[in-house]
Structures are given as C-alpha cells and as structure tokens.
Amino acid sequence: MAGKQVGLGDQILHGHDRYGWWQVNKIEGWDETPPEKSNTVDVVNGHGSFPMPVYYGSRTVTVTGRLAAKNHQLAIDAKRRLTSLLQEPSSFVVASDDFLPVTALANRGRITPGPVTGRWLTFDLELKFPDPFKYGERRYVSVASGASDTVFHRGTVEAWPSVSVSGNMPDGYTVTIGGQSVSVPMGIPSGATHTIDYRRRRLYINGSLFMGAFGSQNFRSIPPGLRTSVSLSAPSGSGSAGVTVYDTYI
C-alpha cells in the first residue's frame, strides 16, 4: 500500500496531515468488477442462454486503516473528523503506483472509528457508490458550428460525454458524435446555455431541466482509446459546442 494515495472528500486517509500519519491497510471492492444486474434467459429446447446486455449494480468498497496521531488529543479530533465525512456525498480518490488519481462519488456508507489508544486510532469504512464507474482525467474539446474535431479518453470502458452549447442559433442545432446525431429543433438565443447529458439523455437550459426538447436522439458514447469525431451544425446563426468526457473505468 506504500505507493497509494487515498482520500475521502478533503480528508487524507493514506499520508501525512495535521493529525499525523494515516495508513490504509486494505481496500476491497475498488479494483474488482461490481455485481452485474443482468439476467440471463435460457434457450428453450437448446443449449446455453441468450446473450443479454451487461449492466452493473452499485459498488461497495471497504477500507481499513489506522492513524498514528501526533498526540492523544489529535487522535480524538481525527476520530470526530472521520464520523463527519459522509454528511454529504464525498469523492473517494485513489492514486495508485502510476500516480493517476481515479475518483468515484460515495453517497452513503458506514464509518467506524475504533477506540483511541494513546495516539493510535484504527478505522473501518464501508462506502456505497450508486454509480459503479470510476473516473480519471477530464478531456475537453470545443467546436464551432460548421467545424469538426475529435475527442477521446484513456479509460477502459465506454464514456458518456456532456455537451455544452451556446451561441445564437434561432432554428436549433445538431451535435454529431461518431456519426450519430442529437438535434435540438428549439432555437438558442445569445446568452443562453444548453447542456446535453448524454448518459441520462437530458437537456438542461441554463442549468434547469427541460423535457421533450430533442428531435433526433442518437446518443453516442466515446470508446476508450479511439479518437471520435465531433461536429456542430445549425441551419441558421452560429455557435459552439464544448464536449467534456472523463477517462472512465469499471
């Protein structure tokens, strides 16, 4: 575990901070594949089963470790700090031997600090992640209407982009990623921002959800390691589209 950096929210769990030296001894469920949600359907009067799409359930990660505090009082303070870490959803970050941080959002769980013995404190964390995927570096590309570019990510599974569109396009616009188009026939005025969440297939106008806004709806994910074309077109006016994608892992 010497090569790892681990944190939950803004609290270090493996390394040195004002409390003392934190050490994670074991992480389980982080590198493993989360449980599948898919059900197989047997072939009637034949061998095997029909192929079904693979969907993953939520991920559970358990972490055990200890703190060598600078003194007894700081060990007590650290214990109190641990119990407050999941008051709100918190990012769990692990940077392994390659020093590339990978993040997932824990929305609930159980944190169990042990008794303080002198300046020593042990702890156990059970973290629940409703999104089973893990995310690394952010990738971004911006394209003007009538132009094209490419986007990619260095993860290991398909990644879903988020597209932010602005400009003055009175008759709507079309975003095309990898040859698959998503169109919004509603015009976009100057000063407004449309955000298309490809994973959830939702459109947000200036941050507020807007239902029933799409024309064509060919939502496309970004395959790992391959450059994928991105373009923006509009029948009138002009604008730009910013495409954000994160290195995505399972």
Side-chain angles (χ1 to χ4, degrees), residues 115-199:
V116 174
T117 305
R119 62 188 187 91
W120 292 94
L121 170 68
T122 60
F123 59 88
D124 293 277
L125 285 69
E126 183 181 86
L127 305 176
K128 305 288 187 179
F129 300 88
D131 181 352
F133 294 97
K134 301 175 288 188
Y135 301 95
E137 188 174 346
R138 175 181 181 268
R139 313 284 176 179
Y140 177 82
V141 65
S142 179
V143 294
S145 52
S148 64
D149 206 332
T150 59
V151 67
F152 77 104
H153 75 100
R154 292 196 174 101
T156 55
V157 295
E158 301 280 327
W160 291 96
S162 174
V163 181
S164 178
V165 181
S166 59
N168 181 16
M169 293 174 280
D171 298 310
Y173 57 88
T174 298
V175 177
T176 303
I177 297 179
Q180 302 295 313
S181 296
V182 173
S183 65
V184 176
M186 175 179 54
I188 177 171
S190 298
T193 300
H194 288 189
T195 301
I196 305 173
D197 183 334
Y198 268 58
R199 169 171 286 180

Side-chain angles (χ1 to χ4, degrees), residues 1 13-15 21-26 64-68 123:
M1 196 65 68
L13 295 177
H14 193 82
W21 180 260
W22 298 84
Q23 178 179 318
V24 168
N25 298 322
K26 184 185 292 185
T64 60
R66 63 179 183 171
L67 166 67
F123 59 88

Side-chain angles (χ1 to χ4, degrees), residues 5-9 11 13 24 26-30 59 61-63 89-95 101-106 125 127 129 134-135:
Q5 297 175 3
V6 185
L8 180 61
Q11 177 58 55
L13 295 177
V24 168
K26 184 185 292 185
I27 302 177
E28 295 181 322
W30 182 249
R59 181 186 296 274
V61 175
T62 57
V63 182
S90 298
S91 294
F92 181 66
V93 182
V94 176
V102 178
T103 304
L105 189 66
L125 285 69
L127 305 176
F129 300 88
K134 301 175 288 188
Y135 301 95

Side-chain angles (χ1 to χ4, degrees), residues 75-95:
I76 295 174
D77 292 346
K79 181 176 181 177
R80 293 170 177 154
R81 169 66 176 149
L82 283 175
T83 58
S84 69
L85 290 179
L86 286 177
Q87 292 297 308
E88 296 181 356
S90 298
S91 294
F92 181 66
V93 182
V94 176

